[in-house]
Amino acid sequence: MKILVTGGAGYIGSHTSVELLNKGYEIIVVDNLSNSKVEVLDRIRELTNRDFKFYRINLLNRGELDRVFKENKIDGVIHFAGLKAVGESVEKPLEYYHNNITGTLVLCDLMKEYGVKRLVFSSSATVYGNPERVPISEDFPLNTTNPYGSTKLMIERILEDLYISDREWGISLLRYFNPIGAHQSGRIGEDPNGIPNNLMPFITQVALGKLKRLSIFGNDYNTHDGTGVRDYIHVVDLAQGHLKALDKILEKPTLDIYNLGTGEGYSVLDMVVNFEKATGKKVDYTIVDRRPGDIDICYADPSKAERELGWKARRDIQDMCRDAWRWQINNPNGYE
Ligand code: NAD
Ligand code: UD1
């Protein structure tokens, strides 16, 4: 079985590629390396002892992507490629809409042309906006607050319409909560450009001494300790969720939507404490103003994925902190 992995050099795509290869799938990776490094591909090969084809291609380039479909008999696609920084999406909305939406349209058009009708898509809990209550289940109202989130919601709608137009498609929309951690080997992990936007890579860089202290964005949220609460999920659990989703759509046509989270919420302060406990490293912090657009509390009801896919996150918060730290100390400058 041959699976095309778009964005396979990225953080979640690389971990999912490892799981696919370990399960015996053949993969073809397409990535333009706009937010990743070519080195990750050899790490994937090293971890799995398997080889695969890589195309350095921008999804917006239809001609080049056509070549990938022409040269390979593809059975299904896992589509990670996209731009993902919320703040940047507010500054560069056209770039985000063009890259994420046009990229997906080009991909789907070629899939249709070549009769490849199996697609797993990376959506995000961001499509729930500021939810009225928690835990969040898949039937909650959808609403976005920034261009990045809007691209995810629009792509979900496009894929739903595609399924309505042709019930031979099998499409799985996976709404990720907050992926953190790394492969337990410490060989692949998250490698953000510049100063990290997200909490966990910021914490690991403070612990390493690359950054002075963590700024906690607000302690007056309506949560148990005033700091923001999120549903952090180990990236390997998340990757394994993709294989379950893929199995289901390869079996028969359907359109599915699943939350991939643990169902547990941790505050920023909980994360600092857990990280210190898991690693023995101290994380200095200071409380600063809220970050615009942040919400109080967000965690999943992941029971639908357990019921229908037989998938459940297995790794706990200590595993996530330990694995994130192992990746960081073994690769202080990421893949460089
Ligand atoms: P990432 O940036 O590490 O990986 C995305 C990859 O896609 C990168 O390697 C990048 O070079 C590539 N890419 C981007 N645009 C491309 C294009 N036009 N053509 C070819 N390649 C392109 O991000 P990630 O964290 O691995 O996220 C993967 C997917 O999951 C994204 O779609 C993201 O929006 C979504 N997602 C991520 C998170 C998260 O917290 N990491 C949460 C929810 C959803
Ligand atoms: C961010 C994105 C969201 C995306 C999600 C998963 C924003 C506004 N939202 O969510 O669209 O789906 O990542 O990748 O960027 N925090 C600090 N200090 C820091 C960094 C974060 O206190 O230096 C706090 C935040 O206020 C939040 C929590 O830590 O309460 C998690 O933040 P982050 O890792 O950026 O994820 P989200 O904001 O949940």
Side-chain angles (χ1 to χ4, degrees):
M1 198 68 83
K2 259 194 197 149
I3 305 300
L4 172 65
V5 185
T6 77
Y11 172 45
I12 306 169
S14 57
H15 287 81
T16 305
S17 293
V18 166
E19 297 302 314
L20 286 165
L21 290 165
N22 282 341
K23 270 266 151 64
Y25 287 97
E26 280 184 63
I27 65 168
I28 296 143
V29 169
V30 164
D31 200 301
N32 64 355
L33 304 181
S34 59
N35 196 37
S36 49
K37 306 267 167 31
V38 72
E39 286 74 14
V40 70
L41 302 166
D42 279 337
R43 305 270 181 109
I44 297 171
R45 294 185 178 104
E46 165 204 308
L47 285 174
T48 59
N49 218 1
R50 298 268 317 272
D51 201 5
F52 55 87
K53 279 199 213 169
F54 169 62
Y55 293 83
R56 183 170 183 174
I57 281 180
N58 191 326
L59 287 191
L60 299 172
N61 188 331
R62 195 180 197 284
E64 287 192 20
L65 194 60
D66 182 77
R67 188 159 63 83
V68 178
F69 281 87
K70 212 171 260 150
E71 290 178 3
N72 302 281
K73 163 104 198 50
I74 294 164
D75 297 292
V77 178
I78 307 186
H79 177 35
F80 295 103
L83 299 173
K84 64 163 183 178
V86 172
E88 189 184 57
S89 80
V90 175
E91 284 156 29
K92 303 178 180 169
L94 298 180
E95 199 178 311
Y96 270 68
Y97 284 113
H98 189 47
N99 189 77
N100 292 3
I101 296 180
T102 314
T104 304
L105 290 174
V106 170
L107 173 70
C108 289
D109 200 42
L110 284 166
M111 289 175 70
K112 186 174 159 214
E113 189 178 321
Y114 285 84
V116 183
K117 296 185 178 177
R118 298 289 178 268
L119 176 67
V120 178
F121 173 64
S122 302
S123 188
S124 166
T126 194
V127 299
Y128 297 114
N130 193 351
E132 264 171 30
R133 56 200 158 79
V134 282
I136 301 167
S137 52
E138 288 83 352
D139 55 3
F140 269 36
L142 305 178
N143 148 48
T144 59
T145 52
N146 56 71
Y148 164 71
S150 300
T151 68
K152 292 293 172 194
L153 187 52
M154 287 179 194
I155 295 168
E156 285 201 5
R157 300 264 202 255
I158 290 168
L159 298 175
E160 283 165 354
D161 286 340
L162 181 59
Y163 177 71
I164 290 169
S165 75
D166 178 356
R167 304 272 170 164
E168 283 180 12
W169 280 79
I171 298 174
S172 202
L173 309 177
L174 302 182
R175 294 179 180 155
Y176 313 156
F177 281 68
N178 288 55
I180 60 168
H183 192 267
Q184 66 165 24
S185 63
R187 295 294 288 159
I188 58 171
E190 187 171 12
D191 183 16
N193 278 326
I195 296 176
N197 294 314
N198 297 113
L199 180 63
M200 184 49 92
F202 206 106
I203 288 180
T204 58
Q205 292 197 17
V206 171
L208 194 68
K210 281 181 90 172
L211 296 169
K212 202 153 174 239
R213 68 174 68 84
L214 170 69
S215 297
I216 296 185
F217 298 143
N219 64 353
D220 56 353
Y221 283 105
N222 186 18
T223 62
H224 63 274
D225 61 20
T227 65
V229 166
R230 298 290 184 272
D231 184 337
Y232 297 94
I233 174 169
H234 196 294
V235 65
V236 174
D237 280 324
L238 186 70
Q240 290 169 349
H242 289 71
L243 271 74
K244 296 285 191 180
L246 183 66
D247 282 349
K248 183 160 180 244
I249 58 170
L250 286 172
E251 217 170 86
K252 66 173 187 351
T254 169
L255 184 124
D256 293 325
I257 303 178
Y258 296 110
N259 283 340
L260 297 185
T262 63
E264 279 182 64
Y266 288 89
S267 73
V268 181
L269 285 169
D270 292 336
M271 294 303 286
V272 169
V273 169
N274 272 289
F275 184 86
E276 290 180 339
K277 198 167 128 203
T279 66
K281 298 297 292 186
K282 181 103 190 63
V283 179
D284 287 332
Y285 66 83
T286 173
I287 309 286
V288 302
D289 285 348
R290 289 180 174 206
R291 178 171 66 179
D294 275 357
I295 59 177
D296 303 64
I297 183 160
C298 169
Y299 59 86
D301 171 355
S303 60
K304 186 179 176 206
E306 184 173 7
R307 237 175 11 253
E308 297 186 8
L309 299 177
W311 172 89
K312 192 177 185 305
R314 308 254 161 229
R315 292 162 181 81
D316 67 16
I317 207 75
Q318 292 278 308
D319 299 323
M320 299 181 214
C321 292
R322 218 178 290 116
D323 291 342
W325 179 234
R326 187 180 303 109
W327 155 253
Q328 181 73 78
I329 35 167
N330 289 349
N331 306 272
N333 298 313
Y335 289 108
E336 269 172 24

